[in-house]
């Protein structure tokens, strides 16, 4: 399974930190983005959640 997800044109990005990692409250700097997805687009939410789960499984040793 590919963990790459291409979002629909009606999905918006907010608080984008994909070029430079950002530190919050003195924590480790991380790359992040908040997605704004229409409520009626459950298929997109399911694709994103599946990709996140797959990445966690593949990189479990790195995350610990």
């Amino acid at each position: 399974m590919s963990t790459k997800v291409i979002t629909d044109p009606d999905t918006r990005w907010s608080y984008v930190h994909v070029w430079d990692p950002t530190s919050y409250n003195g924590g480790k700097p991380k790359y992040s983005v908040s997605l704004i997805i229409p409520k009626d687009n459950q298929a997109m939410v399911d694709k994103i959640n599946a990709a996140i789960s797959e990445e966690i499984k593949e990189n479990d040793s790195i995350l610990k």
Side-chain angles (χ1 to χ4, degrees):
M1 176 182 179
S2 172
T3 55
K4 181 178 182 177
V5 177
I6 299 174
T7 58
D8 295 336
D10 59 349
T11 301
R12 294 182 295 162
W13 291 28
S14 179
Y15 303 103
V16 179
H17 301 286
V18 295
W19 293 275
D20 296 312
T22 301
S23 174
Y24 296 101
N25 299 323
K28 181 179 174 183
K30 297 180 181 182
Y31 295 96
S32 63
V33 64
S34 295
L35 296 176
I36 303 168
I37 304 169
K39 290 181 182 183
D40 61 349
N41 196 346
Q42 187 61 42
M44 179 58 58
V45 174
D46 293 342
K47 286 181 190 177
I48 292 168
N49 285 335
I52 291 169
S53 295
E54 187 66 26
E55 279 296 320
I56 289 171
K57 286 178 193 174
E58 289 179 11
N59 297 295
D60 189 43
S61 63
I62 296 171
L63 298 173
K64 291 183 180 181

